[in-house]
Amino acid sequence: MNRREHLRFLFAGIISFIITACRKDVGSKVKTLKFITAFPQKVYANDQLELNWASENIPFISVSKRTGNGNWQLIEENIAAGIGKYVIILPTMFSNKDPLSVKISGDDLEEISTEMQTYNTFVVETAIHPELAIVGGMKNFNFSSNDVFIKRESPSGIKCFSSACTHSGCIISFIQSSNKFNCSCHGSQFDANGNVLQGPAQLALGTYSCETISNEKFRVIY
């Protein structure tokens, strides 16, 4: 083989390689699937969880959540991947406080978002409970075996006290005329901010976490 024939053979090989590579690239596009966000990370019962993802060359995906025994439970399948968003309606109450994990999957690819902490909540609206429409207003609530006094602390917030006396756990009452909590078991008294006024209790009343949803709507977290 002379030099000219050798170059012609080499050039033909290069062209053949390029054509083959191009055909492979066209026939097998790269597929990608990636979580962008699972919002919010603080997951409240009776709320919504929004999943957002980015995908390429995947027509459909499925959404699953991890159950208490560690297995995956399918929520919905054949969701158009290009939508990039899916909303999960959460249960009215979580049976445990384990972190929630969700998974999106499609075409042998999957992405998992984990460690979203779950919380049970009780929502209070002043339109339903007008006692809390004014600053200083107080009302007692009992929900899911939790007995709580809710005080309108400011125009934009509330404070939530446990109704259990810190001396021996007896249920206290709020005396509106004297603006204080009273324990009928052993005579302990607390001011409207939960501080001890009279023993034998030594510790201030316990509190619950609460958040403002809007000016007249609040959430107690338990």
PDB file of all heavy atoms in Angstrom, residues 60-87:
ATOM      1  N   PHE A  60     -42.326  10.589  31.179  1.00  0.00           N
ATOM      2  CA  PHE A  60     -43.208  10.467  32.337  1.00  0.00           C
ATOM      3  C   PHE A  60     -42.410  10.092  33.587  1.00  0.00           C
ATOM      4  O   PHE A  60     -41.370   9.440  33.503  1.00  0.00           O
ATOM      5  CB  PHE A  60     -44.283   9.390  32.105  1.00  0.00           C
ATOM      6  CG  PHE A  60     -45.147   9.649  30.910  1.00  0.00           C
ATOM      7  CD1 PHE A  60     -44.934   8.975  29.724  1.00  0.00           C
ATOM      8  CD2 PHE A  60     -46.172  10.585  30.974  1.00  0.00           C
ATOM      9  CE1 PHE A  60     -45.727   9.221  28.612  1.00  0.00           C
ATOM     10  CE2 PHE A  60     -46.967  10.837  29.873  1.00  0.00           C
ATOM     11  CZ  PHE A  60     -46.747  10.159  28.691  1.00  0.00           C
ATOM     12  N   ILE A  61     -42.953  10.510  34.756  1.00  0.00           N
ATOM     13  CA  ILE A  61     -42.339  10.112  36.024  1.00  0.00           C
ATOM     14  C   ILE A  61     -43.424   9.605  36.970  1.00  0.00           C
ATOM     15  O   ILE A  61     -44.624   9.790  36.734  1.00  0.00           O
ATOM     16  CB  ILE A  61     -41.579  11.266  36.706  1.00  0.00           C
ATOM     17  CG1 ILE A  61     -42.560  12.347  37.164  1.00  0.00           C
ATOM     18  CG2 ILE A  61     -40.502  11.841  35.823  1.00  0.00           C
ATOM     19  CD1 ILE A  61     -41.979  13.222  38.242  1.00  0.00           C
ATOM     20  N   SER A  62     -42.961   8.997  38.053  1.00  0.00           N
ATOM     21  CA  SER A  62     -43.839   8.566  39.133  1.00  0.00           C
ATOM     22  C   SER A  62     -43.391   9.238  40.418  1.00  0.00           C
ATOM     23  O   SER A  62     -42.211   9.560  40.579  1.00  0.00           O
ATOM     24  CB  SER A  62     -43.783   7.041  39.303  1.00  0.00           C
ATOM     25  OG  SER A  62     -44.221   6.385  38.128  1.00  0.00           O
ATOM     26  N   VAL A  63     -44.338   9.451  41.340  1.00  0.00           N
ATOM     27  CA  VAL A  63     -44.036  10.032  42.649  1.00  0.00           C
ATOM     28  C   VAL A  63     -44.405   9.023  43.722  1.00  0.00           C
ATOM     29  O   VAL A  63     -45.493   8.447  43.700  1.00  0.00           O
ATOM     30  CB  VAL A  63     -44.811  11.350  42.881  1.00  0.00           C
ATOM     31  CG1 VAL A  63     -44.579  11.869  44.295  1.00  0.00           C
ATOM     32  CG2 VAL A  63     -44.390  12.401  41.863  1.00  0.00           C
ATOM     33  N   SER A  64     -43.492   8.800  44.669  1.00  0.00           N
ATOM     34  CA  SER A  64     -43.726   7.862  45.772  1.00  0.00           C
ATOM     35  C   SER A  64     -43.296   8.506  47.083  1.00  0.00           C
ATOM     36  O   SER A  64     -42.513   9.454  47.101  1.00  0.00           O
ATOM     37  CB  SER A  64     -42.925   6.566  45.556  1.00  0.00           C
ATOM     38  OG  SER A  64     -43.179   5.997  44.290  1.00  0.00           O
ATOM     39  N   LYS A  65     -43.805   7.977  48.193  1.00  0.00           N
ATOM     40  CA  LYS A  65     -43.353   8.409  49.512  1.00  0.00           C
ATOM     41  C   LYS A  65     -43.012   7.177  50.337  1.00  0.00           C
ATOM     42  O   LYS A  65     -43.571   6.103  50.142  1.00  0.00           O
ATOM     43  CB  LYS A  65     -44.407   9.260  50.218  1.00  0.00           C
ATOM     44  CG  LYS A  65     -45.659   8.520  50.632  1.00  0.00           C
ATOM     45  CD  LYS A  65     -46.597   9.444  51.402  1.00  0.00           C
ATOM     46  CE  LYS A  65     -47.858   8.697  51.842  1.00  0.00           C
ATOM     47  NZ  LYS A  65     -48.763   9.566  52.640  1.00  0.00           N
ATOM     48  N   ARG A  66     -42.068   7.357  51.264  1.00  0.00           N
ATOM     49  CA  ARG A  66     -41.638   6.240  52.103  1.00  0.00           C
ATOM     50  C   ARG A  66     -42.601   6.081  53.268  1.00  0.00           C
ATOM     51  O   ARG A  66     -42.941   7.053  53.953  1.00  0.00           O
ATOM     52  CB  ARG A  66     -40.224   6.476  52.632  1.00  0.00           C
ATOM     53  CG  ARG A  66     -39.567   5.184  53.127  1.00  0.00           C
ATOM     54  CD  ARG A  66     -38.248   5.467  53.831  1.00  0.00           C
ATOM     55  NE  ARG A  66     -37.269   6.139  53.014  1.00  0.00           N
ATOM     56  CZ  ARG A  66     -36.444   5.518  52.171  1.00  0.00           C
ATOM     57  NH1 ARG A  66     -36.520   4.226  52.017  1.00  0.00           N
ATOM     58  NH2 ARG A  66     -35.558   6.213  51.477  1.00  0.00           N
ATOM     59  N   THR A  67     -43.071   4.864  53.496  1.00  0.00           N
ATOM     60  CA  THR A  67     -44.002   4.594  54.580  1.00  0.00           C
ATOM     61  C   THR A  67     -43.237   4.302  55.864  1.00  0.00           C
ATOM     62  O   THR A  67     -42.013   4.221  55.869  1.00  0.00           O
ATOM     63  CB  THR A  67     -44.904   3.399  54.226  1.00  0.00           C
ATOM     64  OG1 THR A  67     -44.069   2.244  53.981  1.00  0.00           O
ATOM     65  CG2 THR A  67     -45.719   3.690  52.982  1.00  0.00           C
ATOM     66  N   GLY A  68     -43.997   4.141  56.964  1.00  0.00           N
ATOM     67  CA  GLY A  68     -43.372   3.920  58.262  1.00  0.00           C
ATOM     68  C   GLY A  68     -42.498   2.682  58.325  1.00  0.00           C
ATOM     69  O   GLY A  68     -41.531   2.644  59.090  1.00  0.00           O
ATOM     70  N   ASN A  69     -42.803   1.642  57.528  1.00  0.00           N
ATOM     71  CA  ASN A  69     -41.987   0.421  57.559  1.00  0.00           C
ATOM     72  C   ASN A  69     -40.790   0.485  56.612  1.00  0.00           C
ATOM     73  O   ASN A  69     -40.080  -0.501  56.430  1.00  0.00           O
ATOM     74  CB  ASN A  69     -42.848  -0.803  57.235  1.00  0.00           C
ATOM     75  CG  ASN A  69     -43.497  -0.708  55.865  1.00  0.00           C
ATOM     76  OD1 ASN A  69     -43.147   0.150  55.059  1.00  0.00           O
ATOM     77  ND2 ASN A  69     -44.444  -1.585  55.602  1.00  0.00           N
ATOM     78  N   GLY A  70     -40.568   1.646  55.992  1.00  0.00           N
ATOM     79  CA  GLY A  70     -39.394   1.818  55.136  1.00  0.00           C
ATOM     80  C   GLY A  70     -39.631   1.507  53.676  1.00  0.00           C
ATOM     81  O   GLY A  70     -38.757   1.736  52.845  1.00  0.00           O
ATOM     82  N   ASN A  71     -40.813   0.990  53.325  1.00  0.00           N
ATOM     83  CA  ASN A  71     -41.115   0.675  51.930  1.00  0.00           C
ATOM     84  C   ASN A  71     -41.632   1.919  51.206  1.00  0.00           C
ATOM     85  O   ASN A  71     -42.143   2.853  51.823  1.00  0.00           O
ATOM     86  CB  ASN A  71     -42.167  -0.430  51.849  1.00  0.00           C
ATOM     87  CG  ASN A  71     -41.653  -1.736  52.424  1.00  0.00           C
ATOM     88  OD1 ASN A  71     -40.481  -2.059  52.287  1.00  0.00           O
ATOM     89  ND2 ASN A  71     -42.529  -2.481  53.079  1.00  0.00           N
ATOM     90  N   TRP A  72     -41.520   1.900  49.872  1.00  0.00           N
ATOM     91  CA  TRP A  72     -42.007   3.014  49.068  1.00  0.00           C
ATOM     92  C   TRP A  72     -43.443   2.776  48.666  1.00  0.00           C
ATOM     93  O   TRP A  72     -43.807   1.689  48.210  1.00  0.00           O
ATOM     94  CB  TRP A  72     -41.141   3.203  47.831  1.00  0.00           C
ATOM     95  CG  TRP A  72     -39.795   3.783  48.124  1.00  0.00           C
ATOM     96  CD1 TRP A  72     -38.610   3.125  48.179  1.00  0.00           C
ATOM     97  CD2 TRP A  72     -39.508   5.154  48.432  1.00  0.00           C
ATOM     98  NE1 TRP A  72     -37.597   3.997  48.495  1.00  0.00           N
ATOM     99  CE2 TRP A  72     -38.116   5.246  48.654  1.00  0.00           C
ATOM    100  CE3 TRP A  72     -40.285   6.303  48.540  1.00  0.00           C
ATOM    101  CZ2 TRP A  72     -37.492   6.440  48.978  1.00  0.00           C
ATOM    102  CZ3 TRP A  72     -39.663   7.506  48.862  1.00  0.00           C
ATOM    103  CH2 TRP A  72     -38.289   7.566  49.069  1.00  0.00           C
ATOM    104  N   GLN A  73     -44.290   3.779  48.836  1.00  0.00           N
ATOM    105  CA  GLN A  73     -45.694   3.715  48.450  1.00  0.00           C
ATOM    106  C   GLN A  73     -45.926   4.651  47.267  1.00  0.00           C
ATOM    107  O   GLN A  73     -45.676   5.846  47.348  1.00  0.00           O
ATOM    108  CB  GLN A  73     -46.578   4.124  49.627  1.00  0.00           C
ATOM    109  CG  GLN A  73     -48.061   4.196  49.291  1.00  0.00           C
ATOM    110  CD  GLN A  73     -48.883   4.788  50.420  1.00  0.00           C
ATOM    111  OE1 GLN A  73     -48.382   5.043  51.499  1.00  0.00           O
ATOM    112  NE2 GLN A  73     -50.158   5.021  50.153  1.00  0.00           N
ATOM    113  N   LEU A  74     -46.419   4.097  46.174  1.00  0.00           N
ATOM    114  CA  LEU A  74     -46.679   4.885  44.971  1.00  0.00           C
ATOM    115  C   LEU A  74     -47.850   5.836  45.213  1.00  0.00           C
ATOM    116  O   LEU A  74     -48.914   5.427  45.676  1.00  0.00           O
ATOM    117  CB  LEU A  74     -46.993   3.964  43.795  1.00  0.00           C
ATOM    118  CG  LEU A  74     -47.316   4.653  42.461  1.00  0.00           C
ATOM    119  CD1 LEU A  74     -46.086   5.365  41.918  1.00  0.00           C
ATOM    120  CD2 LEU A  74     -47.845   3.633  41.457  1.00  0.00           C
ATOM    121  N   ILE A  75     -47.641   7.118  44.913  1.00  0.00           N
ATOM    122  CA  ILE A  75     -48.713   8.110  45.031  1.00  0.00           C
ATOM    123  C   ILE A  75     -49.401   8.297  43.680  1.00  0.00           C
ATOM    124  O   ILE A  75     -50.620   8.249  43.578  1.00  0.00           O
ATOM    125  CB  ILE A  75     -48.158   9.457  45.531  1.00  0.00           C
ATOM    126  CG1 ILE A  75     -47.568   9.299  46.930  1.00  0.00           C
ATOM    127  CG2 ILE A  75     -49.260  10.516  45.529  1.00  0.00           C
ATOM    128  CD1 ILE A  75     -46.913  10.559  47.451  1.00  0.00           C
ATOM    129  N   GLU A  76     -48.602   8.502  42.642  1.00  0.00           N
ATOM    130  CA  GLU A  76     -49.171   8.666  41.296  1.00  0.00           C
ATOM    131  C   GLU A  76     -48.099   8.368  40.260  1.00  0.00           C
ATOM    132  O   GLU A  76     -46.910   8.626  40.490  1.00  0.00           O
ATOM    133  CB  GLU A  76     -49.718  10.083  41.094  1.00  0.00           C
ATOM    134  CG  GLU A  76     -50.521  10.259  39.817  1.00  0.00           C
ATOM    135  CD  GLU A  76     -51.234  11.605  39.730  1.00  0.00           C
ATOM    136  OE1 GLU A  76     -51.410  12.250  40.777  1.00  0.00           O
ATOM    137  OE2 GLU A  76     -51.598  11.994  38.613  1.00  0.00           O
ATOM    138  N   GLU A  77     -48.512   7.812  39.129  1.00  0.00           N
ATOM    139  CA  GLU A  77     -47.572   7.529  38.050  1.00  0.00           C
ATOM    140  C   GLU A  77     -48.058   8.157  36.751  1.00  0.00           C
ATOM    141  O   GLU A  77     -49.150   8.729  36.683  1.00  0.00           O
ATOM    142  CB  GLU A  77     -47.391   6.017  37.891  1.00  0.00           C
ATOM    143  CG  GLU A  77     -48.663   5.265  37.608  1.00  0.00           C
ATOM    144  CD  GLU A  77     -48.439   3.761  37.572  1.00  0.00           C
ATOM    145  OE1 GLU A  77     -47.270   3.341  37.498  1.00  0.00           O
ATOM    146  OE2 GLU A  77     -49.434   3.012  37.605  1.00  0.00           O
ATOM    147  N   ASN A  78     -47.212   8.065  35.732  1.00  0.00           N
ATOM    148  CA  ASN A  78     -47.507   8.635  34.401  1.00  0.00           C
ATOM    149  C   ASN A  78     -47.796  10.137  34.471  1.00  0.00           C
ATOM    150  O   ASN A  78     -48.710  10.652  33.811  1.00  0.00           O
ATOM    151  CB  ASN A  78     -48.680   7.895  33.741  1.00  0.00           C
ATOM    152  CG  ASN A  78     -48.349   6.454  33.417  1.00  0.00           C
ATOM    153  OD1 ASN A  78     -47.208   6.142  33.062  1.00  0.00           O
ATOM    154  ND2 ASN A  78     -49.321   5.569  33.570  1.00  0.00           N
ATOM    155  N   ILE A  79     -46.997  10.825  35.276  1.00  0.00           N
ATOM    156  CA  ILE A  79     -47.073  12.281  35.352  1.00  0.00           C
ATOM    157  C   ILE A  79     -46.152  12.848  34.270  1.00  0.00           C
ATOM    158  O   ILE A  79     -45.007  12.416  34.151  1.00  0.00           O
ATOM    159  CB  ILE A  79     -46.626  12.785  36.736  1.00  0.00           C
ATOM    160  CG1 ILE A  79     -47.486  12.150  37.830  1.00  0.00           C
ATOM    161  CG2 ILE A  79     -46.666  14.297  36.821  1.00  0.00           C
ATOM    162  CD1 ILE A  79     -46.919  12.335  39.220  1.00  0.00           C
ATOM    163  N   ALA A  80     -46.637  13.793  33.489  1.00  0.00           N
ATOM    164  CA  ALA A  80     -45.810  14.387  32.434  1.00  0.00           C
ATOM    165  C   ALA A  80     -44.575  15.030  33.060  1.00  0.00           C
ATOM    166  O   ALA A  80     -44.685  15.974  33.850  1.00  0.00           O
ATOM    167  CB  ALA A  80     -46.609  15.411  31.657  1.00  0.00           C
ATOM    168  N   ALA A  81     -43.405  14.510  32.734  1.00  0.00           N
ATOM    169  CA  ALA A  81     -42.161  14.976  33.372  1.00  0.00           C
ATOM    170  C   ALA A  81     -41.885  16.438  33.083  1.00  0.00           C
ATOM    171  O   ALA A  81     -41.301  17.143  33.907  1.00  0.00           O
ATOM    172  CB  ALA A  81     -40.989  14.110  32.917  1.00  0.00           C
ATOM    173  N   GLY A  82     -42.322  16.912  31.897  1.00  0.00           N
ATOM    174  CA  GLY A  82     -42.035  18.287  31.523  1.00  0.00           C
ATOM    175  C   GLY A  82     -42.739  19.327  32.380  1.00  0.00           C
ATOM    176  O   GLY A  82     -42.357  20.494  32.384  1.00  0.00           O
ATOM    177  N   ILE A  83     -43.772  18.914  33.113  1.00  0.00           N
ATOM    178  CA  ILE A  83     -44.478  19.860  33.985  1.00  0.00           C
ATOM    179  C   ILE A  83     -43.530  20.396  35.060  1.00  0.00           C
ATOM    180  O   ILE A  83     -43.546  21.566  35.408  1.00  0.00           O
ATOM    181  CB  ILE A  83     -45.699  19.182  34.640  1.00  0.00           C
ATOM    182  CG1 ILE A  83     -46.737  18.836  33.570  1.00  0.00           C
ATOM    183  CG2 ILE A  83     -46.315  20.077  35.713  1.00  0.00           C
ATOM    184  CD1 ILE A  83     -47.902  18.029  34.087  1.00  0.00           C
ATOM    185  N   GLY A  84     -42.701  19.492  35.599  1.00  0.00           N
ATOM    186  CA  GLY A  84     -41.688  19.918  36.574  1.00  0.00           C
ATOM    187  C   GLY A  84     -42.208  20.242  37.954  1.00  0.00           C
ATOM    188  O   GLY A  84     -41.466  20.753  38.800  1.00  0.00           O
ATOM    189  N   LYS A  85     -43.486  19.947  38.209  1.00  0.00           N
ATOM    190  CA  LYS A  85     -44.054  20.285  39.522  1.00  0.00           C
ATOM    191  C   LYS A  85     -45.180  19.330  39.864  1.00  0.00           C
ATOM    192  O   LYS A  85     -45.946  18.919  39.002  1.00  0.00           O
ATOM    193  CB  LYS A  85     -44.555  21.729  39.529  1.00  0.00           C
ATOM    194  CG  LYS A  85     -45.125  22.179  40.865  1.00  0.00           C
ATOM    195  CD  LYS A  85     -45.358  23.685  40.900  1.00  0.00           C
ATOM    196  CE  LYS A  85     -46.509  24.096  40.010  1.00  0.00           C
ATOM    197  NZ  LYS A  85     -46.819  25.552  40.156  1.00  0.00           N
ATOM    198  N   TYR A  86     -45.271  18.982  41.162  1.00  0.00           N
ATOM    199  CA  TYR A  86     -46.342  18.112  41.623  1.00  0.00           C
ATOM    200  C   TYR A  86     -46.645  18.465  43.071  1.00  0.00           C
ATOM    201  O   TYR A  86     -45.730  18.720  43.859  1.00  0.00           O
ATOM    202  CB  TYR A  86     -45.924  16.638  41.522  1.00  0.00           C
ATOM    203  CG  TYR A  86     -47.002  15.664  41.920  1.00  0.00           C
ATOM    204  CD1 TYR A  86     -48.030  15.330  41.042  1.00  0.00           C
ATOM    205  CD2 TYR A  86     -46.984  15.061  43.175  1.00  0.00           C
ATOM    206  CE1 TYR A  86     -49.018  14.427  41.391  1.00  0.00           C
ATOM    207  CE2 TYR A  86     -47.979  14.162  43.541  1.00  0.00           C
ATOM    208  CZ  TYR A  86     -48.991  13.848  42.651  1.00  0.00           C
ATOM    209  OH  TYR A  86     -49.974  12.960  42.994  1.00  0.00           O
ATOM    210  N   VAL A  87     -47.931  18.487  43.425  1.00  0.00           N
ATOM    211  CA  VAL A  87     -48.349  18.844  44.784  1.00  0.00           C
ATOM    212  C   VAL A  87     -48.922  17.616  45.485  1.00  0.00           C
ATOM    213  O   VAL A  87     -49.831  16.958  44.956  1.00  0.00           O
ATOM    214  CB  VAL A  87     -49.388  19.976  44.767  1.00  0.00           C
ATOM    215  CG1 VAL A  87     -49.926  20.235  46.174  1.00  0.00           C
ATOM    216  CG2 VAL A  87     -48.767  21.262  44.219  1.00  0.00           C
TER     217      VAL A  87
END
